Amino acid sequence: MIPAVLEQRRAGVLLHPTSLPGGVGNGDLGADAHRFVDLLAQTGFSVWQMLPLGPTHRDGSPYAALSLHAGNPMLISLDRLVEWGWLEGDKPDSTVNAITYRLDRLTQAHTTFMQRASESEIQAFETFINAQAHWLEDYALYRALRREYSGQAWFQWPAPLRDREPEALAAVRVRLIDEIAHVYFEQFVFERQWQALRTYAAERNVLLFGDMPIFVAHDSVDVWTQREYFQLDDSGQPAMVAGVPPDYFSAQGQRWGNPLYRWNRMQADGFRWWIARMTTEFRRFDLVRVDHFRGFEACWEIPAADRTAVNGRWVKTPGDALFESLRKHFGSLPLVAEDLGLITPEVLALRDNYELPGMEILQFAFDSGADNPYLPHNHRQASVVYTGTHDNDTTLAWFEDLPAERQLRVVEYLGYPHEPMPWPMIRAALASVSQLAVIPMQDVLALGRGQRMNTPGISDGNWSWRFTWDQLPPDLTERLMRMAKSYGRM
């Protein structure tokens, strides 16, 4: 019940590329990403887990992207473009708007590329466009239209464009041909830089571990172009939206707002929409986490008019038929099920029937008795253990915020460790029988309050955390290597 890539015990680090040092405004796929691969290889850790890579809305959340197939152009390394001769060197002012600066520089790079590119580079560009045309053409048109309408969502556009009337789309493709060509270039560059990073990681025996949200943003090219697969009215608005009921993270539940699927329509097509989506994920990653896995057994449907998730209801979904189709198409499925929250026997049966590892979160382990499934003595080998996830506070901050009696329970369970937090929790994760242990970079750096990546249910202040290389203690590489070796994860 373990994917082939996890047949040996491994350790990894959770870090989104935007959190890397270097780059204007956010980390990217340049030299610091390659240096991070080197750091992992030097420690004996062999997995780099990250969040979804798609282009984001203004809130920066990678879990509500503009496209399921496109890469985020903010992750493109401008320094690499300078090295390739497609961009002149530049040092931006510290007050510059990072997004505007990056987009302007990409426009400059596109102009230079079209003037100076070699014949082989032009051929590679054209090959990419042809190979990815099944999603790229619509995405480029969508991006060009969003720009023309000042960032408005597709369901706010004039009806002929909202409803994709052929004559209206044909006219726009001619009028916005330059903007469309630029989006092609952005995606070509992203793919070239991503595949270079993946090759670099593979040469150092580092696996790349991705993340796939179950749902799709309402304002996305995927919903605009394939409305038949979503529960929308004639104006493109949903009557019901996705979320989760009240839980550990929120007493009001979480109203995500994503449109829900027309599962019967997807099934009638042999789930080809999902097969195309998984093809993109497997092209980029060695292993993929499926976010909100329990939604493949039943979804929490919330009336769209409600502002909270309290009044939702569970509605069954054909997850078994979906995963059977995926297994027939791909063979083995290198997936990890995010099986957190309100998990029923039916969800566990779906996970286990398709031999998908689940998740163990140590921060969840100490709020009940010895039968708590997240305590290390209850872990399953077919699982991935974390100290915490991108949705949790850092382990040090979590521990410091526990009441005294809960802190005592933690240290008693961990054997009254002499190491300061979060190292006893990191050690517990690495010692677990779980086949893969993943530690958030904040915990690797022993960071405390104010360093989390995301606070569920809070819209502001998320997704912007970054580290610097000088935060790494001088003995960190050796310390992690000794631990990886001690617990059989080299």
Side-chain angles (χ1 to χ4, degrees), residues 28-106:
D28 55 38
L29 303 179
D32 292 280
H34 292 246
R35 181 176 173 181
F36 188 72
V37 170
D38 291 335
L39 174 66
L40 292 174
Q42 290 161 8
T43 62
F45 282 42
S46 58
V47 175
W48 179 1
Q49 182 172 356
M50 56 192 71
L51 310 183
L53 296 175
T56 65
H57 291 77
R58 290 176 181 173
D59 65 0
S61 171
Y63 291 91
L66 298 170
S67 168
L68 299 177
H69 300 280
N72 188 351
M74 294 298 104
L75 291 174
I76 292 172
S77 168
L78 301 178
D79 289 341
R80 284 284 187 260
L81 296 180
V82 173
E83 292 172 11
W84 296 348
W86 301 352
L87 197 59
E88 298 297 327
D90 180 58
K91 290 186 178 180
D93 185 274
S94 60
T95 62
V96 73
N97 179 288
I99 294 176
T100 300
Y101 176 80
R102 281 182 171 272
L103 292 177
D104 288 346
R105 294 285 280 163
L106 286 172

Side-chain angles (χ1 to χ4, degrees), residues 220-249:
S220 66
V221 64
D222 311 281
V223 179
W224 177 53
T225 59
Q226 297 176 294
R227 280 167 63 175
E228 67 272 20
Y229 292 135
F230 299 89
Q231 297 182 33
L232 303 172
D233 63 22
D234 289 343
S235 65
Q237 295 298 322
M240 308 291 286
V241 295
V244 290
D247 61 8
Y248 173 90
F249 290 111

Side-chain angles (χ1 to χ4, degrees), residues 305-432:
D306 286 12
R307 305 323 301 165
T308 75
V310 172
N311 295 322
R313 63 181 184 126
W314 291 111
V315 177
K316 292 288 187 179
T317 52
D320 189 68
L322 168 63
F323 281 96
E324 184 60 34
S325 293
L326 294 176
R327 187 161 63 179
K328 285 181 179 178
H329 184 86
F330 294 105
S332 62
L333 297 174
L335 301 174
V336 170
E338 187 268 286
D339 52 353
L340 309 176
L342 182 60
I343 302 302
T344 64
E346 292 83 359
V347 177
L348 298 180
L350 179 64
R351 178 197 70 189
D352 294 344
N353 189 42
Y354 293 94
E355 302 181 341
L356 306 182
M359 292 174 57
E360 317 281 6
I361 312 299
L362 293 185
Q363 289 188 23
F364 297 167
F366 301 96
D367 57 3
S368 58
D371 60 347
N372 186 306
Y374 300 113
L375 285 167
H377 68 264
N378 293 322
H379 289 180
R380 302 160 62 248
Q381 184 182 16
S383 66
V384 182
V385 60
Y386 299 80
T387 49
T389 74
H390 67 276
D391 283 331
N392 297 108
D393 208 340
T394 71
T395 295
L396 177 57
W398 163 82
F399 180 76
E400 291 177 343
D401 287 342
L402 291 177
E405 65 273 13
R406 189 79 61 81
Q407 287 186 348
L408 178 59
R409 178 152 190 264
V410 173
V411 298
E412 282 182 335
Y413 184 89
L414 298 175
Y416 297 97
H418 69 276
E419 296 173 300
M421 280 292 175
W423 287 102
M425 292 279 280
I426 294 174
R427 189 174 293 278
L430 294 172
S432 167

